[in-house]
Amino acid sequence: MQHLKCVYRSFAIPVPLFDHLKDFQRTYEKAHAIKITNNQALSIILGEHQRQQMARVGG
C-alpha cells in the first residue's frame, strides 16, 4: 500500500472511535512486532472492511 498515492485530509472522529483505532493499532503492533501510525492503522481497518464488502457481494 505504500506505493499508492495518498489523499491528505483533516477530520474529526468521536473519542470512542479514536480509542478503538488506538486499541487496534496497539494490538496490530504487538502481533506484527512493528510500529504503525494512526494513518496506517486506519488504512488497514478500511482495507479489511473493503475486502469484507467485496467478498459479501462476490467481487
Side-chain angles (χ1 to χ4, degrees):
M1 198 177 322
Q2 56 239 11
H3 296 88
L4 298 175
K5 290 185 179 182
C6 295
V7 175
Y8 293 87
R9 296 288 184 265
S10 178
F11 59 91
I13 59 174
V15 171
L17 292 180
F18 182 76
D19 291 343
H20 179 68
L21 174 67
K22 296 305 287 186
D23 288 342
F24 173 84
Q25 180 184 17
R26 291 180 188 109
T27 300
Y28 189 93
E29 288 176 341
K30 286 179 187 175
H32 298 278
I34 60 169
K35 286 289 200 181
I36 61 173
T37 65
N38 291 341
N39 294 336
Q40 290 168 318
L42 185 56
S43 291
I44 293 166
I45 291 169
L46 290 173
E48 289 176 0
H49 179 76
Q50 184 179 40
R51 285 187 292 280
Q52 290 172 359
Q53 291 293 320
M54 291 177 71
R56 275 190 221 139
V57 297

